[in-house]
Amino acid sequence: MNAPLQKIEIVLAAPRGFCAGVDRAIQIVERAIAKYGAPVYVRHEIVHNRFVVDSLAAKGAVFVDELDQVPPGVPVVFSAHGVPKSVPLAAQARELFYLDATCPLVSKVHREAERHHREGHHILLIGHAGHPEVIGTMGQLPDGAVTLVETVADVAALPDMTGRKLAFITQTTLSVDDTAEIIAALQARFPSIEAPRKEDICYATTNRQAAVKAIAAECDALLVIGAPNSSNSLRLVEVGKRLGCTTALLVQRAADIDWNKLEHCRSVGITAGASAPEVLVEEVIDAFRQRFEVSLREVTTATEAVQFKLPAALDQPSAKAG
């Protein structure tokens, strides 16, 4: 007779998973394939999730690092993270037909940066060096117009900017708490610095972090489903640890779970980064059910109903890409 399975409670954080910007970007690729036929090229990962990328590749998307890998006469899609202005200019120079899947909330930060620059401000961008969104945002303006700030220590190390008009903007996928500390340091050092008219950290990032805060303290472990290059997913792990859940782990798929770290757990929180589909959450829950007697509970801290329009070109009758 088989021994009874150990009981475990899974506490699901809500909201979790896809945000409106990610959903829009994936739809753009799928609709482009349906309208123009395969292949449709995509510059960089459309979103930071290998499952999503592989699924789109199976439908006819071809992912490339740079535009020089895109042959003439086929559509190309720019990723949800945004691109420097040099990218669409290069596409136009080659007469490539392109669709821009940049999240509208990232585009808002781009326009904000342009406004500050027009008004004569030097811009301090709070973000992570090398992240595609940061590269895209800094690439909206001439070299030297934006200074990247990653930490409170970076604020202290900034040169004297007395007499200069300053403004700050932020990457959309940062830790709400860490960013608040950096903003406070900027405002303490530069009291006249201009803040965004509206919070730059996107609603989905904020909501997913709030949901983790609501469950982390009551869970023995937290699993964040997301990619290692996904900024918002990494921030969810950090938030869980900060709230006292020391076993906070990032996993891409159920196969990545280190079950040894969960063997003494009675409750496990599960969330998913903004680019991780719900099917991966279900896959992880199924993996738990193979090993434990599972009870499920969902904790909802917000309800999301945001939707973004698709590019008009996808609704136009022409079936020709270029």
Side-chain angles (χ1 to χ4, degrees), residues 39-92:
V40 166
Y41 280 68
V42 184
R43 182 185 178 274
H44 293 180
E45 290 187 340
I46 187 69
V47 297
H48 283 157
N49 187 274
R50 176 49 53 185
F51 179 87
V52 170
V53 168
D54 289 346
S55 298
L56 291 173
K59 296 176 181 178
V62 177
F63 293 87
V64 296
D65 292 327
E66 296 301 340
L67 290 183
D68 59 12
Q69 298 168 267
V70 179
V74 296
V76 61
V77 180
F78 301 153
S79 81
H81 309 101
V83 296
K85 280 191 172 176
S86 58
V87 174
L89 288 174
Q92 290 163 16

Side-chain angles (χ1 to χ4, degrees), residues 187-242:
Q187 292 174 328
R189 181 151 184 218
F190 308 111
S192 61
I193 193 169
E194 188 169 325
R197 290 174 180 171
K198 187 180 178 186
E199 177 71 68
D200 283 343
I201 296 177
C202 83
Y203 79 94
T205 297
T206 302
N207 287 349
R208 279 148 192 71
Q209 290 179 23
V212 166
K213 288 178 181 179
I215 69 169
E218 62 177 281
C219 294
D220 299 322
L222 173 72
L223 295 184
V224 177
I225 301 167
N229 58 342
S230 165
S231 175
N232 76 85
S233 299
L234 293 170
R235 303 294 80 77
L236 293 174
V237 174
E238 293 172 0
V239 168
K241 289 180 177 178
R242 181 174 291 169

